[in-house]
Short mmCIF file of all heavy atoms in Angstrom, two decimals:
data_model
loop_
_atom_site.label_atom_id
_atom_site.label_comp_id
_atom_site.label_asym_id
_atom_site.label_seq_id
_atom_site.Cartn_x
_atom_site.Cartn_y
_atom_site.Cartn_z
N TYR A 126 19.56 23.33 91.64
CA TYR A 126 20.54 24.24 91.05
C TYR A 126 21.72 23.47 90.45
O TYR A 126 22.21 23.82 89.37
CB TYR A 126 21.06 25.23 92.11
CG TYR A 126 20.09 26.32 92.49
CD1 TYR A 126 20.38 27.21 93.52
CD2 TYR A 126 18.88 26.48 91.82
CE1 TYR A 126 19.49 28.22 93.88
CE2 TYR A 126 17.99 27.48 92.17
CZ TYR A 126 18.30 28.35 93.20
OH TYR A 126 17.43 29.35 93.54
N GLN A 127 22.19 22.44 91.14
CA GLN A 127 23.32 21.68 90.64
C GLN A 127 22.98 20.95 89.35
O GLN A 127 23.82 20.80 88.46
CB GLN A 127 23.82 20.70 91.69
CG GLN A 127 25.13 20.00 91.32
CD GLN A 127 26.26 20.99 91.03
OE1 GLN A 127 26.47 21.94 91.79
NE2 GLN A 127 26.97 20.80 89.92
N ALA A 130 23.40 23.40 86.75
CA ALA A 130 24.83 23.67 86.58
C ALA A 130 25.52 22.56 85.79
O ALA A 130 26.50 22.82 85.07
CB ALA A 130 25.50 23.84 87.94
N ASN A 131 25.04 21.33 85.92
CA ASN A 131 25.68 20.21 85.24
C ASN A 131 25.72 20.39 83.72
O ASN A 131 26.68 19.98 83.05
CB ASN A 131 24.98 18.90 85.59
CG ASN A 131 25.30 18.45 87.01
OD1 ASN A 131 26.27 18.91 87.60
ND2 ASN A 131 24.47 17.57 87.56
N LEU A 133 25.87 23.29 82.14
CA LEU A 133 26.89 24.30 81.89
C LEU A 133 28.29 23.71 82.01
O LEU A 133 29.18 24.01 81.21
CB LEU A 133 26.73 25.46 82.86
CG LEU A 133 25.34 26.10 82.98
CD1 LEU A 133 25.33 27.18 84.05
CD2 LEU A 133 24.88 26.66 81.65
N LEU A 134 28.47 22.86 83.02
CA LEU A 134 29.79 22.26 83.25
C LEU A 134 30.19 21.35 82.10
O LEU A 134 31.35 21.32 81.70
CB LEU A 134 29.77 21.48 84.57
CG LEU A 134 29.78 22.34 85.84
CD1 LEU A 134 29.46 21.51 87.06
CD2 LEU A 134 31.14 23.03 86.00
N ARG A 135 29.24 20.60 81.56
CA ARG A 135 29.56 19.74 80.41
C ARG A 135 30.05 20.58 79.23
O ARG A 135 31.02 20.23 78.56
CB ARG A 135 28.33 18.94 79.98
CG ARG A 135 27.95 17.81 80.92
CD ARG A 135 26.72 17.11 80.38
NE ARG A 135 26.01 16.40 81.43
CZ ARG A 135 24.73 16.04 81.35
NH1 ARG A 135 24.05 16.31 80.26
NH2 ARG A 135 24.15 15.41 82.35
N LEU A 137 31.40 23.63 79.36
CA LEU A 137 32.71 24.22 79.68
C LEU A 137 33.83 23.19 79.58
O LEU A 137 34.90 23.48 79.04
CB LEU A 137 32.68 24.83 81.09
CG LEU A 137 31.83 26.11 81.23
CD1 LEU A 137 31.62 26.45 82.70
CD2 LEU A 137 32.48 27.28 80.50
N LYS A 138 33.60 22.00 80.08
CA LYS A 138 34.62 20.95 80.03
C LYS A 138 34.96 20.55 78.61
O LYS A 138 36.07 20.10 78.34
CB LYS A 138 34.14 19.72 80.82
CG LYS A 138 34.15 19.92 82.33
CD LYS A 138 33.54 18.72 83.06
CE LYS A 138 33.51 18.96 84.56
NZ LYS A 138 32.84 17.86 85.29
N THR A 143 29.37 29.28 77.73
CA THR A 143 28.13 29.39 78.49
C THR A 143 27.71 30.85 78.56
O THR A 143 28.53 31.74 78.70
CB THR A 143 28.28 28.85 79.93
OG1 THR A 143 29.28 29.61 80.60
CG2 THR A 143 28.66 27.39 79.92
N ILE A 145 25.22 33.13 80.83
CA ILE A 145 24.58 32.98 82.14
C ILE A 145 24.05 34.31 82.64
O ILE A 145 24.75 35.33 82.58
CB ILE A 145 25.56 32.40 83.18
CG1 ILE A 145 26.21 31.10 82.66
CG2 ILE A 145 24.86 32.12 84.50
CD1 ILE A 145 27.28 30.54 83.59
N ALA A 149 22.55 34.74 88.55
CA ALA A 149 22.56 33.31 88.90
C ALA A 149 23.96 32.75 89.09
O ALA A 149 24.11 31.65 89.62
CB ALA A 149 21.85 32.51 87.80
N VAL A 150 24.99 33.49 88.68
CA VAL A 150 26.35 32.95 88.69
C VAL A 150 26.76 32.46 90.08
O VAL A 150 27.32 31.37 90.24
CB VAL A 150 27.37 34.00 88.17
CG1 VAL A 150 28.79 33.51 88.38
CG2 VAL A 150 27.12 34.27 86.70
N ASN A 151 26.48 33.25 91.10
CA ASN A 151 26.91 32.89 92.46
C ASN A 151 26.08 31.76 93.07
O ASN A 151 26.42 31.26 94.15
CB ASN A 151 26.87 34.12 93.37
CG ASN A 151 27.90 35.16 92.99
OD1 ASN A 151 28.96 34.83 92.45
ND2 ASN A 151 27.62 36.42 93.24
N LEU A 152 25.01 31.38 92.41
CA LEU A 152 24.19 30.27 92.89
C LEU A 152 24.69 28.93 92.34
O LEU A 152 24.19 27.88 92.73
CB LEU A 152 22.73 30.47 92.48
CG LEU A 152 22.04 31.74 93.01
CD1 LEU A 152 20.65 31.88 92.39
CD2 LEU A 152 21.95 31.70 94.53
N LEU A 153 25.68 28.99 91.45
CA LEU A 153 26.16 27.79 90.77
C LEU A 153 27.56 27.42 91.24
O LEU A 153 28.38 28.29 91.55
CB LEU A 153 26.20 28.03 89.26
CG LEU A 153 24.87 28.36 88.59
CD1 LEU A 153 25.10 28.89 87.20
CD2 LEU A 153 23.98 27.12 88.55
N ASN A 154 27.84 26.14 91.25
CA ASN A 154 29.16 25.66 91.62
C ASN A 154 30.01 25.53 90.36
O ASN A 154 30.18 24.46 89.79
CB ASN A 154 29.06 24.30 92.34
CG ASN A 154 30.40 23.79 92.80
OD1 ASN A 154 31.39 24.54 92.83
ND2 ASN A 154 30.46 22.53 93.17
N LEU A 155 30.54 26.69 89.92
CA LEU A 155 31.38 26.72 88.72
C LEU A 155 32.78 27.22 89.07
O LEU A 155 33.47 27.82 88.24
CB LEU A 155 30.76 27.65 87.67
CG LEU A 155 29.34 27.32 87.19
CD1 LEU A 155 28.83 28.41 86.26
CD2 LEU A 155 29.31 25.97 86.49
N LYS A 156 33.23 26.96 90.29
CA LYS A 156 34.46 27.57 90.80
C LYS A 156 35.69 27.27 89.96
O LYS A 156 36.60 28.09 89.85
CB LYS A 156 34.70 27.16 92.25
CG LYS A 156 34.78 25.65 92.48
CD LYS A 156 34.87 25.34 93.96
CE LYS A 156 34.91 23.83 94.20
NZ LYS A 156 34.95 23.51 95.64
N ASP A 157 35.74 26.11 89.33
CA ASP A 157 36.91 25.77 88.51
C ASP A 157 36.98 26.60 87.23
O ASP A 157 38.01 26.62 86.55
CB ASP A 157 36.89 24.28 88.14
CG ASP A 157 37.10 23.39 89.36
OD1 ASP A 157 37.61 23.91 90.37
OD2 ASP A 157 36.74 22.20 89.30
N TYR A 158 35.86 27.28 86.91
CA TYR A 158 35.81 28.03 85.65
C TYR A 158 35.47 29.50 85.86
O TYR A 158 35.21 30.22 84.90
CB TYR A 158 34.74 27.41 84.72
CG TYR A 158 35.06 26.00 84.32
CD1 TYR A 158 34.58 24.92 85.06
CD2 TYR A 158 35.84 25.72 83.20
CE1 TYR A 158 34.86 23.62 84.69
CE2 TYR A 158 36.13 24.42 82.82
CZ TYR A 158 35.64 23.37 83.58
OH TYR A 158 35.93 22.09 83.22
N GLN A 159 35.48 29.96 87.11
CA GLN A 159 35.02 31.32 87.40
C GLN A 159 35.76 32.38 86.59
O GLN A 159 35.19 33.41 86.23
CB GLN A 159 35.18 31.63 88.90
CG GLN A 159 34.23 30.84 89.82
CD GLN A 159 32.78 31.23 89.66
OE1 GLN A 159 32.25 31.21 88.58
NE2 GLN A 159 32.13 31.59 90.75
N ALA A 160 37.03 32.17 86.32
CA ALA A 160 37.82 33.17 85.59
C ALA A 160 37.80 32.91 84.08
O ALA A 160 38.45 33.64 83.33
CB ALA A 160 39.26 33.18 86.10
N SER A 161 37.08 31.94 83.64
CA SER A 161 37.11 31.56 82.23
C SER A 161 36.43 32.62 81.36
O SER A 161 35.35 33.13 81.69
CB SER A 161 36.41 30.21 82.03
OG SER A 161 36.30 29.92 80.65
N GLU A 162 37.06 32.92 80.24
CA GLU A 162 36.46 33.84 79.27
C GLU A 162 35.29 33.18 78.54
O GLU A 162 34.55 33.86 77.82
CB GLU A 162 37.50 34.30 78.26
CG GLU A 162 38.59 35.17 78.86
CD GLU A 162 39.60 35.63 77.83
OE1 GLU A 162 39.49 35.17 76.66
OE2 GLU A 162 40.47 36.45 78.18
N ARG A 163 35.15 31.90 78.72
CA ARG A 163 34.03 31.19 78.08
C ARG A 163 32.75 31.24 78.91
O ARG A 163 31.73 30.69 78.51
CB ARG A 163 34.45 29.74 77.80
CG ARG A 163 35.52 29.66 76.70
CD ARG A 163 35.90 28.26 76.32
NE ARG A 163 36.67 27.58 77.35
CZ ARG A 163 36.22 26.59 78.10
NH1 ARG A 163 34.98 26.15 77.95
NH2 ARG A 163 36.98 26.03 79.01
N ILE A 164 32.81 31.86 80.08
CA ILE A 164 31.59 32.18 80.84
C ILE A 164 31.23 33.62 80.52
O ILE A 164 31.92 34.56 80.90
CB ILE A 164 31.79 32.00 82.35
CG1 ILE A 164 32.02 30.52 82.69
CG2 ILE A 164 30.57 32.52 83.12
CD1 ILE A 164 32.19 30.25 84.18
#
Side-chain angles (χ1 to χ4, degrees):
Y126 286 174
Q127 188 57 47
N131 286 342
L133 308 177
L134 286 167
R135 287 180 203 160
L137 289 167
K138 288 175 182 176
T143 60
I145 307 175
V150 171
N151 292 331
L152 299 174
L153 299 166
N154 183 14
L155 302 174
K156 57 186 178 182
D157 292 341
Y158 297 92
Q159 291 292 54
S161 173
E162 293 181 355
R163 291 184 289 109
I164 294 181

